[in-house]
Amino acid sequence: MKNSIEKHAGISMVIGALLATITMALHPVGGNIQHLIKISPVIMTSHIIALFSVPFILFGFWGLTKRLGFDKTLSVLAFITAAIGLFAVMIAGAINGLAIPFFVKNLAGINADKQEVAQLVLTYGFSLNQAFDYIFIGALCEALLLWSVTIFSTKLFPQWVAILGVLLGLGFLMALVFGFTLVDLHGFRIFIFGIVLWIAATGILMSKSGKKSLG
């Protein structure tokens, strides 16, 4: 079928969105060293699912860019921006979901002095993770904004998809301007929910239709 790869890319976006939703449902709240040791299996499971979602979403984004046209500058720029964001979230997932559990499993029973040093290391790790979370959320929101501007001009998707993308992109910029914390668990989930909703909706639309207008 002529547009089967784009439909498969749409299905891939839906799968990626589903995996991201499962990740957020399982994602535990951090705590002290003893708590981290206790919940390490859940931490690793949730982040492995998140890492597994990345290639599905990236393939979906490639299909979306193909649908909108590789001759559309903003669409191609959106794909590059999104790819950078997905690379950042892979690093964040590896730090928070793999490196930290590997680190804390060796900390059981250490003395108070070593615990203090270990806590400093964990604090640095969490800070590094937050930096990559900012890159991820920012890149994805701005990619959605760029794709949405292209959707407005091409009318290949319903206009509400473009409106949601614009709101997410501008919302991220406004949150930065007004100093809102974007990478605490609640702030992260708000933006992730919006991003996942956009990805899932766009993926469903791509999987159901061909090259013709979806509006």
Side-chain angles (χ1 to χ4, degrees), residues 7 16 19 21 23 32 39 43 69-70 92-93 105 110 116 128 148 175 198 205 211:
K7 292 184 178 182
L19 292 172
T21 301
T23 297
N32 59 27
I39 64 172
I43 294 175
F70 285 115
K105 74 177 182 179
I110 62 174
E116 186 175 346
L128 191 61
S148 296
W198 192 95
L205 291 167
K211 190 74 174 179

Side-chain angles (χ1 to χ4, degrees), residues 201-212:
T202 306
I204 291 170
L205 291 167
M206 284 178 59
S207 67
K208 286 184 175 180
S209 299
K211 190 74 174 179
K212 62 183 182 179

Side-chain angles (χ1 to χ4, degrees), residues 83-116:
I84 292 171
L86 290 174
F87 180 71
V89 83
M90 284 185 64
I91 297 176
I95 293 172
N96 216 27
L98 298 177
I100 286 178
F102 291 151
F103 178 67
V104 298
K105 74 177 182 179
N106 298 313
L107 300 181
I110 62 174
N111 60 43
D113 290 340
K114 289 184 177 179
Q115 279 195 11
E116 186 175 346

Side-chain angles (χ1 to χ4, degrees), residues 47-69:
H47 286 83
I48 287 171
I49 294 172
L51 293 172
F52 191 60
S53 74
V54 170
F56 287 97
I57 296 173
L58 183 60
F59 174 53
F61 285 165
W62 176 85
L64 172 61
T65 306
K66 183 175 184 294
R67 168 68 63 82
L68 294 174

